[in-house]
Amino acid sequence: MVIRTIKLPDVGEGVTEAELAEMLVKPGDLVREDDPIAAVMTDKATVEITSAYSGTVVWTAQEVGQIMAIGSDLVRIEEDAGEAQALQPMQETQPAAQETAPVRETPTERPSLALEAQDVGKAVKTNQPEPHRPQTAIPPRPEGAPVLAAPAVRERARQGGIDLRQVQGTGPAGRVTHEDLDRLFQAAGEGHAAKSGLSRTTPEDVETVKVTGLRRMIARRMSEANASIPHITVIEEVDVTEIEALRTRLNETRGDRPKLTLLPLVAAALVKAKQSCPKIFARYDDVADEVEYSSAVDIGIATMTENGLMVPVLRNAQSADLFGMAAEIARLSDACRANKAKREELSGSTITITSLGPLGAIATTPIINKPEVAILGINRMAIRPSWNGTAFVPRNMMNLSASFDHRIIDGYDAAIFVNRMKVLLETPAMIFMKD
């Protein structure tokens, strides 16, 4: 007899370890080549490991739930003498290929039975010729015994409305296999598909797009900011009726100047708020443990483009009037959408404004644009009833969502800033008053 060791194979690019989700065999079980022997779980999918040999299981790996490194011993199988002899010529030329097992990956969602019929039950094969294998008798599952089946088989049976307790498995110890389900579905035909609600439509095409360029940079920066910054988000309701009325009146008399949106008015409110809340307008170098404060108010304007989110910088907002800020915001946005923004126009902001405009939600929790320590989110406006002391009256309301780096900004300072912005936006004359 020859003892063969099946190791945990490479189950995905960049995967160095996997969790043992289910051990499908035990010592004493008879297995055939391509029978499932274990299921492991990565951060992407459940992967079914199949046997590379036929014989009797003499040893299995550690307990379910433990983490195993790629290449760890998974199962040891004692081959028949005839099986070992048939494989002997190949061992001399391709010994390395015998030490890993084929894998079958089980997606979380299965689009249709047609896709299943194409992919399920297919293990990754080596380039070796098919050896002669003697037939091994597989005992039937005893009446009332627990159903043995791999996670992929259970999921497929559930989707197809199949009660596995009624299926006589042909695998080791009566285990139900994909081939058993194939025979059931084939026998049932279209009538079974209609009864069980199985889809027999052609599976949709799947396009794989590599994340590169700006999209990859955005992904990395967002992941880094979300992982390294302890965010605190404060959401406040603001009555913007008066500032919207002001914006309307200014646009009516703007002449050939650019049309005002809410953004320049919010930027002007930020300039005013900096006088009482200077801590909010900062950049934190968490490597050098240094916080940088600037006298200039450089505001990042989150801008959506075809390639992804870009944040051009409205510099020295404290020195510009409303229409000047409106013109500069429009220029920067156009440059980003045309992919012509300069490098220096995309860095150096001390706080960022983000807005989804009419598509915005009631409230959001924006992620800070590192190394800044705060970001201000503008949410969707809506007419809501507001109590004025004697009656409910319709008012134009909007929520502000402001996130802060809790390493630098305390909750008290965050609340002071949000309240200051609320007062300024609800009483826009205060934005333009000299202190």
Side-chain angles (χ1 to χ4, degrees):
M1 296 294 179
V2 178
I3 303 297
R4 301 290 186 185
T5 300
I6 297 177
K7 298 179 181 295
L8 179 60
D10 186 354
V11 293
E13 183 178 356
V15 177
T16 59
E17 59 185 17
E19 178 182 340
L20 183 59
E22 187 175 4
M23 181 57 69
L24 304 176
V25 295
K26 62 182 183 299
D29 284 351
L30 297 173
V31 297
R32 294 173 297 192
E33 185 177 348
D34 290 341
D35 280 347
I37 56 175
V40 298
M41 182 180 299
T42 70
D43 58 347
K44 299 178 181 178
T46 298
V47 179
E48 193 176 87
I49 311 300
T50 57
S51 176
Y53 314 104
S54 297
T56 303
V57 177
V58 296
W59 178 88
T60 59
Q62 48 202 323
E63 296 181 358
V64 170
Q66 296 202 9
I67 304 300
M68 300 182 64
I70 301 301
S72 301
D73 290 356
L74 186 64
V75 172
R76 291 175 189 155
I77 295 176
E78 184 180 66
E79 282 189 316
D80 298 333
E83 185 78 16
Q85 186 176 4
L87 292 175
Q88 187 65 33
M90 290 180 291
Q91 296 169 5
E92 298 176 359
T93 57
Q94 293 178 312
Q98 297 289 337
E99 294 302 321
T100 58
V103 300
R104 177 162 55 228
E105 185 168 332
T106 306
T108 302
E109 298 178 1
R110 298 183 180 273
S112 67
L113 181 58
L115 179 60
E116 193 68 44
Q118 294 174 19
D119 295 336
V120 78
K122 294 181 180 178
V124 178
K125 300 281 187 178
T126 63
N127 292 325
Q128 305 166 358
E130 184 73 15
H132 171 73
R133 297 189 300 272
Q135 295 295 324
T136 305
I138 302 299
R141 179 169 58 87
E143 184 72 23
V147 177
L148 300 179
V153 174
R154 295 181 186 276
E155 176 63 16
R156 186 181 174 204
R158 184 189 65 77
Q159 293 181 358
I162 300 297
D163 185 353
L164 288 179
R165 293 173 299 179
Q166 307 301 320
V167 180
Q168 183 60 57
T170 60
R175 182 177 304 280
V176 179
T177 66
H178 284 291
E179 289 73 18
D180 296 327
L181 295 185
D182 287 340
R183 284 189 289 272
L184 279 175
F185 291 147
Q186 185 176 3
E190 296 296 334
H192 173 77
K195 181 178 178 181
S196 61
L198 290 175
S199 171
R200 290 190 178 271
T201 58
T202 302
E204 296 180 0
D205 292 336
V206 177
E207 180 185 6
T208 301
V209 179
K210 190 170 181 63
V211 178
T212 59
L214 177 61
R215 186 75 265 167
R216 180 170 58 185
M217 182 182 70
I218 292 171
R220 290 178 177 175
R221 293 191 62 181
M222 287 295 167
S223 297
E224 180 184 356
N226 192 51
S228 63
I229 299 176
H231 284 63
I232 175 176
T233 301
V234 180
I235 299 173
E236 180 61 275
E237 186 178 51
V238 178
D239 185 339
V240 291
T241 305
E242 295 301 326
I243 200 166
E244 272 294 283
L246 173 62
R247 186 178 70 87
T248 300
R249 288 194 293 271
L250 290 174
N251 278 331
E252 290 173 350
T253 58
R254 66 187 175 92
D256 58 355
R257 293 177 293 185
K259 186 176 182 179
L260 290 178
T261 64
L262 185 62
L263 281 179
L265 290 161
V266 174
L270 282 174
V271 171
K272 191 69 172 180
K274 185 178 186 298
Q275 298 175 4
S276 54
C277 306
K279 292 182 180 179
I280 305 300
F281 300 77
R283 295 168 60 85
Y284 176 39
D285 184 342
D286 53 6
V287 176
D289 282 331
E290 296 177 346
V291 181
E292 176 185 279
Y293 298 98
S294 172
S295 58
V297 182
D298 297 327
I299 303 173
I301 307 295
T303 304
M304 193 63 203
T305 72
E306 291 184 357
N307 297 321
L309 186 67
M310 303 179 73
V311 186
V313 182
L314 172 64
R315 299 197 182 278
N316 294 306
Q318 77 281 356
S319 302
D321 61 19
L322 288 178
F323 291 102
M325 285 191 285
E328 181 64 1
I329 290 173
R331 186 192 70 80
L332 290 169
S333 299
D334 290 342
C336 288
R337 294 188 179 103
N339 200 27
K340 295 182 179 179
K342 300 177 182 178
R343 186 180 185 88
E344 58 270 19
E345 293 175 331
L346 298 172
S347 62
S349 53
T350 54
I351 194 170
T352 292
I353 301 174
T354 179
S355 171
L356 293 177
L359 297 177
I362 294 175
T364 53
T365 55
I367 296 177
I368 295 169
N369 184 24
K370 193 178 180 181
E372 299 167 22
V373 299
I375 184 170
L376 182 67
I378 302 174
N379 297 296
R380 184 179 63 235
M381 294 183 190
I383 302 296
R384 305 173 195 158
S386 178
W387 182 253
N388 65 3
T390 58
F392 283 102
V393 294
R395 303 290 289 180
N396 201 357
M397 308 297 292
M398 180 187 75
N399 289 338
L400 291 179
S401 298
S403 294
F404 306 89
D405 186 337
H406 216 345
R407 298 172 298 178
I408 302 300
I409 306 300
D410 295 325
Y412 178 80
D413 292 323
I416 291 293
F417 169 76
V418 172
N419 182 261
R420 181 60 174 164
M421 289 297 297
K422 173 182 172 68
V423 170
L424 291 171
L425 293 176
E426 290 186 339
T427 315
M430 296 181 65
I431 299 175
F432 308 102
M433 290 177 58
K434 297 290 186 180
D435 289 340

